[in-house]
Amino acid sequence: VQQSNNPAEEIAAAKHPRIRHIKFPHRPAADPQVNIPSDGWKVCSPETVGNFTGVGYYFGRHLLQELDVPIGLLGCNWGGTRIEPWTPPAGFRSVASLEGIAGNLDRYPLKRSDGRIDHQTPLALYNGMIHPLIPYGIRGALWYQGESNNAEGRLYADKMKALILGWRTAWQKPDLPFYYVQLAPYRYGGDPLHLPRIWAAQSSVLKIPHTGMAATIDIGNTDDIHPRNKQDVGKRLALWALARTYRRPHLVYSGPMYRSMTIEGNRIRIGFAHLGDGLVARDGKPLNWFSISGRNGQFVDATAEIDGKSVVVWSEQVTRPAAVRFAWHQEAVPNLSNKNGLPAVPFRTD
C-alpha cells in the first residue's frame, strides 16, 4: 500500500478492522512444508496497512464495502518470480505440453552451487509457501505475474492452466475462483511483440471455468514495471469476484473483448463482448493502436471508428483487408474502452 498512489491519504484512511492481512516470508523449500513462519494476522489500521499487499488490500476493501463481510488476505508473494516455482506437481501432470517438467519432478527444485535452493525452479515456492496454506478454506485466489515469463507466448497459457488446476487439486476445490491481472504495458526492450503474446495467452486462460482477468492496459506506466495505480487493479479484480463469485446481477466487470470479425469491402468490422453501456474513446480523440493487413500479412497503422456496438477499421493502403490487430505492442496505451471506464483488451484476428 505504501508503494501505491496517494500512499499518505490511503494509509490515514485505512481504518477497516474487519480487514485482516497475514504476510508470509520468502521461503523456497526442497519438500512440501506443513508450517510457515509469519508475524501473524494484522488488523487493518493506519499503523499496519502500509505493508499490506497493495492490490490485495484494494480488492478486499472494495469487497468489504459491497458485501459487508470480514475479509482475510493471505499475502503470499515474491516479486520477480517465474510461474513454475508456484505450481504443484498435479498441475504439471495435468498439461501435456509440460511433460518435460512433469516427467522430472523428482529433480526439482534445483539447488545452486552454494547448496541453496534456486527459488526460480519448479516446486520451490509451492513447497515452501503454498503447500502450508492448503488447510485454509480459502474463497479464491488472486494472481499477478508474468513479467518473468515474458517471451513465452502461448506456452504461458499452458503454465497458467497448470497452476490453476494444480491449486484446485491441492485444495480439493475444482471450482476455486481464480482471478488474475493482465500485465500492464512496459518498455521491456527487445521484441516489442513479446508482451502482446503474453496478453493473448492471458486472455485465452478465460476459457477455463471460474476465472477472470482484470485488464490494466490503461493504467500502467511504460517506464515502471510496478505501476502505482494499484487501486484500480484491486477494484477491477473485485468486480470479477462480485459478478462471478458473489453473483451480483447486471454488474459491468470487464472492458470490451474481441468477439467477431466481418470483412466489408475494404474495411473490417470488429464485434465485442462486454460492451457495458457502450463503446467510447476514453480521451475523446480518434481511436488509436489499431492496425490492419491484407493477405500478405503486412500490418499498417489503421483508422478506426466506433459504429454502434462495433468498431470499423480500414486503411487506404489496404484494399483487400484480411486481419486486424489492436494494441499489439508492448508500449500500447490505447483509448478504446466502454463507458463504464474499463479498457478494451488487446487482440489480434490473425
Side-chain angles (χ1 to χ4, degrees):
V1 172
Q2 63 191 357
Q3 294 175 348
S4 61
N5 280 345
N6 307 313
E9 294 88 340
E10 293 287 11
I11 289 171
K15 300 172 183 177
H16 302 293
R18 289 195 298 165
I19 296 177
R20 305 198 179 190
H21 176 272
I22 187 168
K23 185 175 182 65
F24 297 109
H26 298 165
R27 191 184 66 159
D31 301 297
Q33 300 297 295
V34 176
N35 299 309
I36 183 170
S38 79
D39 292 333
W41 288 94
K42 305 295 183 185
V43 177
C44 178
S45 71
E47 291 71 38
T48 61
V49 77
N51 289 321
F52 284 17
T53 160
V55 168
Y57 167 67
Y58 297 117
F59 168 86
R61 184 178 69 179
H62 195 73
L63 288 190
L64 176 67
Q65 293 165 346
E66 294 292 323
L67 300 174
D68 194 30
V69 296
I71 305 292
L73 301 170
L74 288 83
C76 192
N77 38 64
W78 189 339
T81 48
R82 296 178 58 82
I83 191 172
E84 296 90 338
W86 299 97
T87 303
F92 290 119
R93 296 188 184 110
S94 68
V95 179
S97 64
L98 303 180
E99 61 183 0
I101 299 176
N104 293 281
L105 288 174
D106 57 338
R107 295 178 54 233
Y108 294 113
L110 302 179
K111 291 187 177 181
R112 297 171 175 164
S113 58
D114 61 4
R116 293 188 302 165
I117 296 168
D118 184 345
H119 72 280
Q120 294 283 33
T121 58
L123 306 183
L125 302 182
Y126 169 75
N127 285 344
M129 298 177 67
I130 298 296
H131 191 269
L133 308 182
I134 288 173
Y136 272 100
I138 63 172
R139 193 69 174 93
L142 303 182
W143 180 252
Y144 191 169
Q145 189 272 347
E147 296 92 342
S148 295
N149 290 86
N150 202 6
E152 293 189 355
R154 69 178 59 186
L155 179 62
Y156 184 71
D158 292 344
K159 291 180 178 181
M160 282 193 68
K161 181 179 181 180
L163 180 81
I164 295 166
L165 296 180
W167 285 7
R168 288 174 174 174
T169 300
W171 263 277
Q172 299 182 25
K173 288 189 173 186
D175 297 335
L176 181 75
F178 187 97
Y179 302 128
Y180 58 96
V181 181
Q182 190 175 46
L183 296 180
Y186 178 69
R187 190 175 295 111
Y188 287 94
D191 186 344
L193 302 187
H194 281 334
L195 181 58
R197 294 181 187 120
I198 289 286
W199 288 338
Q202 291 176 314
S203 293
S204 72
V205 171
L206 289 171
K207 298 174 184 176
I208 301 174
H210 309 291
T211 60
M213 181 181 76
T216 61
I217 197 163
D218 60 326
I219 54 175
N221 181 340
T222 56
D223 293 319
D224 186 354
I225 203 168
H226 297 293
R228 298 179 68 88
N229 184 352
K230 303 182 190 304
Q231 289 89 335
D232 282 323
V233 182
K235 182 178 179 180
R236 290 173 186 182
L237 288 167
L239 290 175
W240 278 91
L242 289 168
R244 293 292 190 86
T245 300
Y246 298 102
R247 305 295 182 185
R248 285 289 178 90
H250 314 302
L251 187 66
V252 178
Y253 54 92
S254 172
M257 291 187 183
Y258 170 72
R259 170 177 279 175
S260 63
M261 179 192 88
T262 306
I263 298 175
E264 300 176 353
N266 67 342
R267 301 183 176 207
I268 292 181
R269 183 178 298 273
I270 302 295
F272 294 91
H274 300 288
L275 293 169
D277 294 332
L279 298 171
V280 68
R282 189 172 55 252
D283 54 7
K285 298 179 180 179
L287 296 182
N288 55 16
W289 288 102
F290 279 89
S291 59
I292 194 168
S293 80
R295 295 176 182 175
N296 61 5
Q298 299 300 308
F299 283 84
V300 298
D301 292 343
T303 303
E305 289 184 354
I306 296 169
D307 184 23
K309 297 181 178 180
S310 58
V311 170
V312 179
V313 186
W314 74 95
S315 169
E316 300 299 332
Q317 302 177 54
V318 179
T319 56
R320 301 179 66 186
V324 167
R325 291 180 176 181
F326 170 68
W328 207 250
H329 192 282
Q330 64 184 5
E331 298 178 45
V333 184
N335 58 359
L336 178 62
S337 70
N338 57 30
K339 293 180 180 178
N340 308 84
L342 297 173
V345 175
F347 67 87
R348 65 176 179 179
T349 67
D350 59 306

